[in-house]
């Protein structure tokens, strides 16, 4: 979700780069390239080259051809300084892409266009095909020393060039190849390490070099693998997915197969994300299920209720109610401090977090989803089980696991944020990627896209139809009146509690209990009002139950919701 610090804190904003095509690029090159540019750092000398040419200018040309054509799926050629048949063929490919005369000769016009394409990504109308990977694609050096911020020299130039070839350039703006390992290079190394599931320390050691050489030499970019077995995709966005103010094309996002999005709304007491209103509405309009989220800051004591007030006001201003078709429940982002320290929130407590959750649940009539991680709750919240009734969005970027570990007291999760390096059409920066733990029907219920379940027949009816809902926030709405029996229902594997609330009618309170088919007795009588109240706990999957006749305490009529 945007630039959270739990595992993704180093997702960075990048410059907006839009694809250009054909003759437009030639015109841009002619007007902008007043002087030769050593994009790869070998030489600014750019003589006419053709098959048989050799030397530094040939290496510079081969390296630039790799940078210019890989975004169009052309496998890099060898940058060895020998302008042979493969180099001439790639020049022809490039000339076709750029709308130039095709002769395989690198003259002034081809050089000018090549300088432009190598420095900023463009795409060809005709895509390339895979060929044999080359080991020398940048041509600076074959040595692979350990490098870190502060290093300088040809090894750093090799590193920067390979990073540009390994990381998809429409999402990761190309680095300047200058041989100076500064903060920008370190950030890009960390992004590669996240993508490749390496220790993200910004130091280029043997493992990082190995991944970098592999990805930069092939006809593909570093893309984190997607967890198997979970077919429904989602993503999280914040201002960091708008580099340079670039808008998100939510229709393109939806067309790529993404089904849900969580959009940053607020942080702490005084920050509202500048793209909340546009992104939440546009994503929902494009057909995605959407949820606003709040980043909790425990920098002062007992601020949960005030943080909830800010969140409620901000998302209501966008039209979000939690009850519209397409509205997912609100999300509470509970994690380590976002100041880069990795510390637990100084004044963060279970009580304060619950205060936020309770207030938001009352405001929107939806059980919030909690975004967190088991290790955070263990380290910072004393391994509490107080959040066991809430659906979870769990962050875990390890590629060695098939499911994220759940916190104490919880039995399952709703969403798994598995990477901060996902690339989506329509977004000009990397984003965090999620999968949903359920079917499309489950997601639709969670997002109010189905009418839910109609009032069931009395429990005494023969062959009463079994029905089910999900504790993700979907709820059965029934009228408490003439028909007072609510079952039978079958629970799902999503939740172990049964919850009820009154949503309208003249009765403000009811007395209810849950009668389980196995025992035929009520578990206990519980007073239920306008807030969600748990009326049974630890319900096993497949348990048959009814909610027998209750006694309205005030009034004769009520509409209630049951969620389990």
């Amino acid at each position: 979700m945007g630039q959270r610090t739990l595992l993704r804190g180093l997702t960075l904003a990048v410059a907006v780069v839009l694809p250009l095509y054909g003759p437009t690029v030639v015109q841009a090159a002619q007007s902008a390239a007043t002087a030769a540019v050593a994009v790869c750092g070998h030489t600014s000398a750019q003589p006419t080259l053709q098959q048989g040419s050799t030397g530094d200018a040939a290496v510079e040309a081969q390296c630039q051809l790799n940078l210019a054509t890989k975004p169009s799926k052309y496998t890099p050629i060898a940058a060895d300084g020998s302008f042979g048949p493969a180099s001439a063929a790639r020049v022809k490919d490039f000339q076709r892409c750029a709308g130039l005369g095709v002769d395989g000769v690198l003259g002034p016009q081809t050089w000018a266009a090549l300088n432009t394409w190598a420095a900023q990504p463009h795409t060809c109308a005709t895509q390339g095909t895979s060929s044999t990977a080359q080991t020398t694609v940048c041509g600076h050096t074959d040595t692979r020393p350990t490098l870190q911020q502060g290093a300088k020299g040809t090894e750093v130039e090799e590193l920067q060039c390979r990073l540009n070839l390994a990381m998809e350039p429409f999402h990761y703006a190309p680095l300047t190849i200058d041989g100076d390992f500064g903060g920008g290079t370190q950030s890009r190394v960390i992004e590669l390490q996240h993508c490749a599931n390496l220790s993200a320390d910004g130091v280029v050691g043997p493992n990082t070099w190995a991944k970098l050489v592999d990805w930069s030499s092939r006809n593909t970019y570093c893309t984190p693998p997607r967890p198997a077995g979970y077919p429904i995709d989602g993503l999280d966005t914040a201002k960091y997915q708008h580099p340079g103010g670039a808008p998100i094309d939510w229709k393109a996002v939806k067309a790529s197969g993404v089904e849900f999005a969580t959009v940053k709304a607020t942080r702490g007491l005084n920050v509202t994300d500048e793209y909340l209103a546009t992104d939440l509405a546009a994503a929902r309009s494009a057909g995605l299920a959407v949820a606003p989220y709040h980043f909790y800051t425990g920098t002062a004591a007992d601020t949960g209720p005030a943080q909830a007030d800010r969140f409620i006001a901000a998302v209501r201003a966008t039209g979000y109610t939690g009850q519209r078709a397409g509205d997912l429940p609100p999300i509470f982002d509970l994690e380590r401090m976002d100041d880069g320290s990795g510390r637990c929130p100084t004044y963060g407590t279970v009580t304060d977090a619950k205060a936020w959750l309770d207030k938001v649940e009352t405001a929107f009539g939806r059980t919030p989803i909690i975004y967190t991680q088991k290790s955070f709750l263990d380290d910072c919240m004393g391994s509490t089980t107080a959040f066991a009734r809430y659906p979870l969005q769990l962050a875990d970027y390890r590629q060695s696991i098939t499911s994220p570990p759940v916190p104490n007291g919880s039995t399952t999760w709703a969403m798994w944020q598995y990477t901060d390096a996902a690339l989506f059409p329509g977004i000009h920066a990397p984003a965090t990627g999620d999968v949903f733990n359920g079917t499309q029907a489950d997601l639709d219920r969670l997002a109010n896209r189905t009418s839910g379940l109609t009032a069931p027949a009395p429990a005494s009816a023969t062959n009463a139809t079994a029905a089910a809902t999900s504790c993700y926030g979907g709820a059965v709405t029934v009228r408490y009146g003439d028909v007072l029996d609510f079952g039978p229902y079958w629970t799902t594997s999503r939740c172990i509690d049964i919850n009820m609330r009154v949503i309208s009618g003249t009765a403000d309170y009811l007395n209810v209990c849950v009668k389980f088919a196995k025992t035929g007795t009520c578990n206990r009588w519980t007073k239920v009002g306008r807030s969600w109240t748990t009326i049974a706990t630890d319900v096993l999957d497949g348990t048959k139950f009814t909610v027998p006749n209750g006694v309205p305490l005030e009034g004769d009529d009520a509409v209630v919701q049951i969620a389990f």
Side-chain angles (χ1 to χ4, degrees):
M1 289 190 180
Q3 190 162 325
R4 302 188 194 173
T5 57
L6 192 61
L7 284 172
R8 71 181 66 68
L10 290 163
T11 300
L12 303 177
V14 296
V16 180
V17 183
L18 299 176
L20 299 175
Y21 299 88
T24 302
V25 178
V26 176
Q27 296 166 8
Q30 290 171 335
S31 62
T34 57
V37 179
V39 176
C40 288
H42 292 285
T43 178
S44 60
Q46 297 183 348
T48 297
L49 299 176
Q50 57 190 334
Q51 194 165 332
S53 299
T54 59
D56 288 344
V59 180
E60 179 72 21
Q62 291 163 331
C63 175
Q64 288 199 33
L65 284 166
N66 289 339
L67 292 170
T69 59
K70 188 177 177 184
S72 299
K73 301 188 182 302
Y74 287 86
T75 301
I77 60 174
D80 57 7
S82 178
F83 198 114
S87 298
R90 185 55 53 87
V91 170
K92 290 180 180 179
D93 291 332
F94 174 71
Q95 290 170 329
R96 292 186 189 95
C97 287
L100 300 169
V102 179
D103 59 6
V105 177
L106 255 174
Q109 193 177 46
T110 301
W111 267 116
L114 185 59
N115 290 167
T116 300
W117 281 53
Q120 296 291 348
H122 303 75
T123 55
C124 303
T126 301
Q127 299 287 285
T129 56
S130 295
S131 56
T132 303
Q134 301 295 320
T135 57
T136 304
V137 294
C138 290
H140 288 285
T141 178
D142 291 330
T143 61
R144 309 279 187 263
T146 296
L147 298 173
Q148 56 188 337
Q149 189 167 3
K152 298 179 184 295
T154 56
E155 291 86 358
V156 177
E157 290 179 312
E158 181 75 15
L159 167 69
Q160 292 166 327
C161 175
R162 285 189 177 270
L163 284 167
N164 288 347
L165 286 170
M167 306 298 283
E168 202 275 347
F170 292 109
H171 292 84
Y172 299 93
L175 299 168
T176 299
I177 301 171
D178 59 5
D180 184 356
F181 196 130
T185 300
Q186 182 188 51
S187 295
R188 186 56 46 78
V189 169
I190 291 171
E191 289 171 327
L192 171 79
Q193 290 169 330
H194 273 304
C195 180
N197 198 32
L198 299 170
S199 176
D201 57 6
V203 177
V204 185
N207 291 335
T208 300
W209 269 118
K211 290 290 187 181
L212 181 58
V213 169
D214 177 36
W215 286 102
S216 60
S217 301
R218 294 193 284 124
N219 182 19
T220 189
Y221 291 106
C222 186
T223 303
R226 187 186 173 286
Y230 306 101
I232 300 175
D233 288 306
L235 74 151
D236 313 305
T237 66
K239 66 180 181 180
Y240 310 104
Q241 280 66 54
H242 294 269
I248 292 175
D249 183 346
W250 285 104
K251 290 182 179 178
V253 173
K254 181 66 168 69
S256 73
V258 176
E259 294 292 343
F260 67 94
T262 68
V263 176
K264 187 172 185 179
T266 51
R267 176 194 179 278
L269 292 166
N270 55 11
V271 176
T272 298
D273 192 274
E274 59 206 86
Y275 294 98
L276 165 65
T278 53
D279 279 349
L280 199 66
R284 180 172 173 267
S285 178
L288 283 80
V290 296
Y293 75 86
H294 171 78
F295 185 97
Y296 171 78
T297 57
T299 53
D302 303 323
T303 60
Q307 292 189 48
D309 287 338
R310 182 176 184 86
F311 172 80
I312 292 166
V315 300
R316 278 180 172 165
T318 71
Y320 175 86
T321 66
Q323 303 298 324
R324 303 173 304 175
D327 281 352
L328 292 167
I331 296 178
F332 184 52
D333 186 344
L334 184 60
E335 56 174 293
R336 298 179 188 274
M337 295 178 69
D338 60 351
D339 60 359
S341 68
R343 293 178 295 136
C344 298
T346 306
Y347 295 97
T349 64
V350 172
T351 299
D352 201 41
K354 284 281 290 178
W356 189 98
L357 292 162
D358 290 344
K359 198 161 195 177
V360 170
E361 184 169 356
T362 298
F364 296 109
R366 303 294 300 274
T367 303
I369 296 170
I370 298 178
Y371 169 97
T372 193
Q373 190 182 40
K374 182 180 186 301
S375 61
F376 168 80
L377 295 181
D378 289 345
D379 296 344
C380 301
M381 297 283 171
S383 299
T384 182
T385 60
F387 305 125
R389 83 174 183 89
Y390 296 93
L392 299 172
Q393 181 185 20
L394 298 177
D396 198 315
Y397 298 169
R398 292 175 294 170
Q399 296 175 15
S400 59
I401 62 175
T402 57
S403 181
V406 296
N408 289 349
S410 299
T411 59
T412 190
W413 50 272
M415 302 169 184
W416 173 11
Q417 186 184 91
Y418 65 91
T419 182
D420 65 350
L423 307 180
F424 297 98
I427 303 180
H428 296 284
T432 51
D434 299 85
V435 290
F436 181 70
N437 187 18
T439 65
Q440 184 63 49
D442 292 327
L443 180 64
D444 288 341
R445 280 192 292 269
L446 183 59
N448 300 317
R449 284 177 174 155
T450 62
S451 59
L453 304 174
T454 58
S460 58
T462 304
N463 298 323
T465 302
T469 187
S470 162
C471 72
Y472 286 162
V476 178
T477 300
V478 290
R479 180 168 296 280
Y480 191 102
D482 295 336
V483 178
L484 301 181
D485 292 318
F486 289 92
Y489 294 110
W490 289 89
T491 67
T492 73
S493 60
R494 307 297 181 198
C495 194
I496 59 173
D497 296 340
I498 304 171
N499 308 282
M500 179 182 282
R501 67 172 179 168
V502 178
I503 61 172
S504 65
T506 59
D508 289 330
Y509 297 97
L510 307 172
N511 275 334
V512 298
C513 79
V514 177
K515 178 184 285 186
F516 294 99
K518 185 174 182 179
T519 63
T521 59
C522 281
N523 62 332
R524 65 175 184 270
W525 288 94
T526 303
K527 182 180 179 181
V528 176
R530 299 282 171 155
S531 298
W532 283 112
T533 301
T534 300
I535 58 176
T537 60
D538 299 324
V539 180
L540 298 177
D541 184 40
T543 300
K544 201 172 186 179
F545 65 92
T546 63
V547 181
N549 297 4
V551 180
L553 298 185
E554 297 180 14
D556 301 314
D557 176 77
V559 176
V560 300
Q561 287 184 323
I562 304 175
F564 54 90

